[in-house]
Amino acid sequence: MPKEQVDVSPEMIAFVGDGCIAHDGWPLESLLLAFHDIDGAAPPMVEHVARDQWPHAAEGATLVFVVAEAACRRLYDCVPAPGTVWHLPSELRAMALGIRDCTAPEAARATVRLGRSIDLLCAVLGGIAAAELIPGDAAGALSESDAARVVAARRMIDERWHEKLTLDGIARACGINRAKLTRGFRTMYATSIGDLLTDKRLEGARRLLSITDLPVSAIGYRCGYMNNASFTRAFTRRYGMPPTRARAERIAA
């Protein structure tokens, strides 16, 4: 018996219930999001299913979204990597259950599910884009609570990169020890905290050099560097020229 199909829009189809899914009429260049264990004892998950796993994953999930990649880019500039799995927080699990177990009258059920599917898709994509959803497989040996602390560390860097952040300070603020944070961050984000901070600070400095007339030393300080010499060294290593020259070339252009 096939799942119930809800045609949300020309760019999205939702499939609800047990059974297989129809493979015709899908949006071009689609991705498949499968919601697993939303009512079981196992932790609920959402998975961007790799294309070769579509039939198996779709049958094993009671809620499946098929979405055009173009819609994901337009909504949140986010197309998650195939095969990636995220923990589904309780509020998103409740939204998924609200779609599957919709109690609206039969005449209105498809319309209610349509609206709720759009809400859940936006919540999932927004959570992925903002690094708020905790990766499942990517967390490795971390517990879910420690993975959440690593995600909090990433959010702290994204929002406060211009402050005088240190590894020890980030670890303390997020309630995780330094070694576990270092290992978990590299596992989950394929980079180190130091490298990410440097990227954020130098990108911010380059932008300020282009759009403001602030002194170079002030820009370095605003972007988290303790002195102009360290800022100049880091900027030159990254961009092949000191910040004063980068600004001069911007003015000349």
Side-chain angles (χ1 to χ4, degrees):
M1 181 177 178
K3 299 182 191 298
E4 182 178 346
Q5 178 172 329
V6 180
D7 295 317
V8 177
S9 76
E11 294 180 306
M12 180 179 177
I13 304 171
F15 295 94
V16 185
D18 297 321
C20 60
I21 62 176
H23 284 79
D24 55 335
W26 284 18
L28 295 175
E29 297 297 323
S30 300
L31 59 84
L32 189 149
L33 295 174
F35 295 81
H36 300 290
D37 299 309
I38 59 175
D39 60 355
M45 301 280 190
V46 58
E47 176 186 8
H48 177 192
V49 183
R51 193 171 294 267
D52 61 349
Q53 298 295 316
W54 277 2
H56 171 72
E59 287 193 22
T62 56
L63 179 62
V64 174
F65 290 166
V66 175
V67 189
E69 291 185 3
C72 299
R73 292 192 185 93
R74 187 177 67 254
L75 288 169
Y76 285 97
D77 193 24
C78 170
V79 178
T84 310
V85 182
W86 298 266
H87 291 279
L88 204 63
S90 57
E91 62 271 20
L92 299 195
R93 173 181 174 272
M95 292 172 70
L97 286 170
I99 296 169
R100 194 198 63 181
D101 301 334
C102 181
T103 58
E106 187 174 352
R109 194 169 300 153
T111 301
V112 172
R113 280 176 164 164
L114 183 156
R116 290 177 178 176
S117 295
I118 293 173
D119 288 344
L120 180 55
L121 174 68
C122 289
V124 168
L125 292 178
I128 293 170
E132 293 172 350
L133 292 192
I134 301 167
D137 295 344
L142 290 175
S143 66
E144 183 175 350
S145 59
D146 280 338
R149 293 182 180 102
V150 174
V151 172
R154 171 62 189 259
R155 185 163 55 246
M156 184 177 181
I157 292 167
D158 287 341
E159 295 174 354
R160 298 169 54 188
W161 54 265
H162 52 283
E163 298 179 16
K164 306 301 186 287
L165 297 178
T166 65
L167 179 57
D168 287 336
I170 294 170
R172 282 195 302 272
C174 297
I176 186 172
N177 71 59
R178 172 180 173 141
K180 189 176 289 186
L181 174 60
T182 300
R183 290 194 303 271
F185 200 93
R186 186 172 289 280
T187 299
M188 292 173 65
Y189 298 112
T191 189
S192 70
I193 287 176
D195 286 346
L196 181 62
L197 270 173
T198 297
D199 289 344
K200 294 282 185 182
R201 288 169 172 168
L202 290 178
E203 288 167 7
R206 194 179 194 187
R207 184 169 60 252
L208 288 176
L209 285 167
S210 298
I211 65 174
T212 75
D213 293 320
L214 288 169
V216 169
S217 58
I219 288 175
Y221 188 79
R222 283 195 177 198
C223 293
Y225 288 92
M226 298 301 293
N227 57 68
N228 191 49
S230 61
F231 168 51
T232 299
R233 282 196 301 270
F235 192 96
T236 303
R237 281 197 301 268
R238 172 62 55 87
Y239 298 115
M241 65 180 73
T244 50
R245 181 178 163 193
R247 167 167 281 172
E249 291 193 356
R250 184 265 299 178
I251 294 172

